[in-house]
């Protein structure tokens, strides 16, 4: 992995967006930034601009009014990116499923990489979800960055060298 990409995966930047939650899950997300959970110790930084984000942390069911905004945020986030749906609303729309103003879970609108269930989801579960998201994001970053010649090493050359014939 290139040096810049290696540095990047050690400090994922996260954008939190509420697509229509009751704010229960949002309070748990914000608890992560308090000294008790302190996710910045893992290098995670909360950002307000999707153009600076690597991971989208989403709460709530997607309401009809937030659908376009969610799509815009997703498109403005540069790839490779990972989406984490936090809470039962975000994972499948319940308990607001089938309401007149609700589209459904996050994956009805954009692809989701990690689902964190719970109503509200616990901070520990969100941290687990984000750690899983980081490993998925690393895979996506690695898949985009070709291995440099120096990192690949002389392995191929060694494999093509023919062994000398044994003396009688
Ligand atoms: S999952 Fe529960 S706590 Fe979280 S936004 Fe939905 S209703 Fe609120």
């Amino acid at each position: 992995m290139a040096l810049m990409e290696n540095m990047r995966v050690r400090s994922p930047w996260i954008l939190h967006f509420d697509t229509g939650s009751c704010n229960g899950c949002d309070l748990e997300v914000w608890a992560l930034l308090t000294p008790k959970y302190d996710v910045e110790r893992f290098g995670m930084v909360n950002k307000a601009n999707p153009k600076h984000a690597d991971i989208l942390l989403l709460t709530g069911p997607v309401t009809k009014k937030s659908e376009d905004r969610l799509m815009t945020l997703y498109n403005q986030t540069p790839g490779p990116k990972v989406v984490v749906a936090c809470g039962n609303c975000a994972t499948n729309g319940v308990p607001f499923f089938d309401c007149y103003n609700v589209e459904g879970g996050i994956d009805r609108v954009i692809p989701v990489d990690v689902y964190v269930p719970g109503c509200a989801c616990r901070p520990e579960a969100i941290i687990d979800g984000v750690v899983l998201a980081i490993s998925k994001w690393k895979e996506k970053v690695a898949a985009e960055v070709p291995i440099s010649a120096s990192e690949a090493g002389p392995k191929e050359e060694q494999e093509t060298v023919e062994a000398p014939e044994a003396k009688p």
Side-chain angles (χ1 to χ4, degrees):
M1 196 181 291
L3 178 64
M4 285 303 290
E5 299 306 324
N6 201 4
M7 289 163 61
R8 192 177 163 208
V9 295
R10 287 168 193 271
S11 182
W13 289 7
I14 294 174
L15 176 91
H16 166 229
F17 181 61
D18 167 9
T19 57
S21 82
C22 74
N23 285 146
C25 288
D26 302 309
L27 292 174
E28 303 299 350
V29 168
W30 286 110
L32 301 182
L33 301 173
T34 62
K36 182 170 180 183
Y37 296 101
D38 189 21
V39 289
E40 285 198 12
R41 69 197 144 118
F42 301 124
M44 300 175 202
V45 180
N46 188 47
K47 303 304 288 184
N49 188 338
K51 291 172 189 164
H52 299 164
D54 305 300
I55 297 175
L56 292 176
L57 193 59
L58 305 170
T59 53
V62 183
T63 61
K64 305 265 187 212
K65 285 212 167 185
S66 68
E67 188 180 349
D68 286 350
R69 291 178 188 122
L70 173 61
M71 206 63 222
T72 303
L73 282 178
Y74 182 77
N75 290 331
Q76 286 181 336
T77 306
K81 55 195 161 195
V82 175
V83 175
V84 182
C86 284
N88 290 353
C89 291
T91 56
N92 56 25
V94 173
F96 301 112
F97 181 77
D98 237 10
C99 286
Y100 71 96
N101 58 344
V102 168
E103 189 61 36
I106 302 290
D107 60 7
R108 295 286 288 268
V109 181
I110 59 172
V112 172
D113 298 279
V114 178
Y115 296 86
V116 181
C119 180
C121 43
R122 295 171 58 85
E124 293 87 350
I126 302 173
I127 291 175
D128 276 354
V130 173
V131 169
L132 181 58
I134 291 171
S135 64
K136 291 194 171 210
W137 179 56
K138 282 179 182 171
E139 286 170 15
K140 289 187 182 187
V141 172
E144 281 202 355
V145 181
I147 299 170
S148 68
S150 59
E151 285 174 310
K155 198 174 170 199
E156 279 189 16
E157 275 180 38
Q158 288 170 354
E159 284 176 353
T160 56
V161 173
E162 287 177 22
E165 283 181 22
K167 290 182 181 172

